[in-house]
Amino acid sequence: LNNLILRSPVDTGRYRANHLLSFGSPDATVSEQTDRSGSVTLSAGIAAIGGIQNGTFPVIYIQNNLPYAMALENGSSQQAPQGIYALSFQSALAAYT
């Protein structure tokens, strides 16, 4: 989640605020909130992960449902010309393999 936030292009901060973390099933929510720094979004994600009961391993979904999220992932932003999610995923794989 932190990597996604840091790689996210920032104009209004709405894209950063819409990185959603859910357990067990995807969340189709779209928020009007903004979070230019990403700190509120990251804090919410950390709190959610901290609430997972020890010994359980739920499927964790991280997604962004904004209508323009796919365009950003496909390089439409000069701030993130190589996308956000794919690069973050590759970075996580590299860190843990």
Side-chain angles (χ1 to χ4, degrees):
L1 181 60
N2 187 52
N3 220 348
L4 290 171
I5 292 168
L6 293 176
R7 291 182 188 277
S8 296
V10 180
D11 182 15
T12 65
R14 188 167 178 226
Y15 182 75
R16 280 190 172 176
N18 273 276
H19 291 300
L20 306 174
L21 190 135
S22 60
F23 305 103
S25 62
D27 179 349
T29 303
V30 173
S31 173
E32 296 298 322
Q33 298 292 330
T34 60
D35 183 10
R36 288 182 62 86
S37 73
S39 62
V40 172
T41 305
L42 183 58
S43 292
I46 290 170
I49 291 170
I52 296 173
Q53 183 178 352
N54 283 342
T56 63
F57 303 97
V59 174
I60 299 173
Y61 291 86
I62 304 174
Q63 63 195 69
N64 195 309
N65 299 318
L66 287 174
Y68 54 87
M70 188 57 72
L72 290 175
E73 184 62 28
N74 289 328
S76 69
S77 170
Q78 291 181 354
Q79 293 179 36
Q82 296 179 329
I84 301 98
Y85 276 75
L87 289 177
S88 295
F89 181 73
Q90 292 300 323
S91 178
L93 281 179
Y96 295 103
T97 57

